[in-house]
Structure formats: structure tokens, C-alpha cells
Amino acid sequence: MQTPLDRPFLSLILPVLNEAATLPAQLAALQGLRTRGTELIVVDGGSGDGTAELARPAADRLLDAPRGRATQMNAGAKASRGEVLLFLHADTTLPPAADDLIRSAIATGAAWGRFDVCIDGRQPLLRIVERMMNWRSRLSGIATGDQAIFVRRDLFERVDGYPELPLMEDIALSKRLKRFAPPACLRQRVITSGRRWEKHGVLRTILLMWRLRASYFLGADPQQLAIRYGYVPRQS
């Protein structure tokens, strides 16, 4: 939807892997942003379920990259043209007029930021989890990928992008970014899927994430933490 001479304000980078069941609805919801000038880049990590074919007609660019969110998001950022980069998980939905909210934050001096999050699910404990996530993020200046991190291109390039870790890449990026500026903590909410919480149990997932984060901050190997989280290492 962009002409070659246009430079969009915002590039949205969407890493995907085997998301054919839910991707059409996600891409349909993003077409309004494209109409208003946002560049949409989908980065496929080697899907085997037709995800790439579904994404092709609904994105400005479709890229292939080695599997791993950090690797895929860095590939999308490198190929993008926007002044500001927005990284969105495939199971997360943006609030209305997210582009305008980001533009306002950047115009008032923010170099990067994130949204508050709402976890989609009926389990009452999820309401407590999302409040804790938002409160902790606001207090610590650390954002998670579920919160739809956005960042000015010049700052993203200055910190060399996402550390290419199999887990905790969002926390590692936040630590890099906050050395230069605090995040804009937008109170408008993205909605992220609660499927993992409901599948494995809310309390069990909370305890697992606490243990993984504590281990990460104490210097544990992110590859081993990712395996504990359920990540299957890609084959070389």
C-alpha cells in the first residue's frame, strides 16, 4: 500500500510460526492500520501449515527467517522502512487507533514504550496476573513482548536490536533500551491470548515464569530456560 518514495511513520513487525488457525483474523484486524499508512511485515519462521500463504496477500512484505522470535523480529526490522518499529505477537490484538497512540507518545518525547495488557480468558486469576504484569512493568521499566513494544528506529539500531535469545529477548531488549530512556507506559490495553495459562494452569504458569525470570536475572543460560519453558531448539 506504500509507494516507493513514501517512508511510513510506523512499521509493524509480526513474527509467526504455524499460526494458520488464527492468523486470518489477526491480519484482518490490522488492515485499518495499513490503510492509514502503517507498513505491515510478516516474518515466517518456517511454518508447515500454510501460514505464509495466508499472510502473503494481507501484508506489505512477507519474509522468511530462521525460527525464533528475536531472529524473526530483527529480520523484519532490518527490512522495514518506518521511523518507529512496533513488534506484535501473533496472538495479541492492538487497541483501536494504536498508531495514533504511538504517534502521540513519540511526539511528546518518548523513544520507546509499550501498552498495558489484558489476558483473554475466563479464569479470574488472569485478572490478577495482568494487573501484576502492568504494575511490574511500570515500576521496573521492563516490557514483555505481550505488551507490544514500540521503539524509534534510531534507538533500536543503536542498541543493536533484539539479542537473539530463544527466551527473555523482550526483557533483554528492555534492559538495553532503558539505559537511554524510560519507556512510555500506555494505559490503553492490548489483548493477548490466555491459551498457555489455561492449558497449563494459571498458578503453575505464574510459578514457572517467576522461576525462569529469577534464573535469567541470576545469569542462567537462556537456551536452557527456553527448554524448560517448552521451546524445542531448532535443528542446525
Side-chain angles (χ1 to χ4, degrees), residues 69-70 73 89 162-163 165-174:
R69 271 188 179 140
M73 291 187 291
H89 287 184
Y162 276 94
L165 306 173
L167 191 68
M168 305 293 178
E169 76 285 343
D170 45 5
I171 292 175
L173 176 67
S174 295

Side-chain angles (χ1 to χ4, degrees), residues 58-224:
D60 294 293
R61 295 195 67 177
L62 172 66
L63 305 176
D64 295 316
R67 176 166 60 91
R69 271 188 179 140
T71 304
Q72 291 171 241
M73 291 187 291
N74 282 340
K78 184 176 181 180
S80 69
R81 298 180 296 116
E83 299 173 29
V84 176
L85 309 176
L86 169 62
F87 299 95
L88 184 68
H89 287 184
D91 60 358
T92 300
T93 303
L94 292 168
D99 50 347
D100 290 336
L101 296 170
I102 293 171
R103 188 184 296 273
S104 295
I106 297 296
T108 55
W112 70 289
R114 87 321 177 257
F115 294 87
D116 274 359
V117 66
C118 173
I119 303 174
D120 184 23
R122 296 183 178 181
Q123 166 59 253
L125 280 175
L126 292 176
R127 307 288 74 79
I128 298 173
V129 172
E130 65 193 31
R131 290 190 191 102
M132 290 179 64
M133 289 174 64
N134 296 329
W135 175 81
R136 183 183 64 238
S137 175
R138 190 166 279 105
L139 184 66
S140 67
I142 297 293
T144 69
D146 291 330
Q147 293 174 299
I149 295 171
F150 59 89
V151 57
R152 281 192 343 227
R153 173 183 295 279
D154 58 344
L155 179 57
F156 186 77
E157 292 175 348
R158 186 173 182 180
V159 302
D160 295 323
Y162 276 94
E164 296 200 348
L165 306 173
L167 191 68
M168 305 293 178
E169 76 285 343
D170 45 5
I171 292 175
L173 176 67
S174 295
K175 291 172 69 176
R176 290 181 177 185
L177 294 173
K178 65 183 287 192
R179 294 176 191 154
F180 295 92
C185 297
L186 304 189
R187 293 190 179 276
Q188 292 85 356
R189 295 187 169 200
V190 297
I191 300 173
T192 195
S193 172
R195 60 189 177 185
R196 182 177 182 88
W197 303 88
E198 294 180 334
K199 178 180 178 181
H200 298 288
V202 176
L203 286 175
R204 181 180 177 186
T205 304
I206 291 172
L207 293 173
L208 173 62
M209 293 308 300
W210 281 355
R211 288 197 300 268
L212 294 177
R213 286 197 177 97
S215 297
Y216 174 74
F217 281 110
L218 290 172
D221 179 9
Q223 181 76 25
Q224 295 304 313

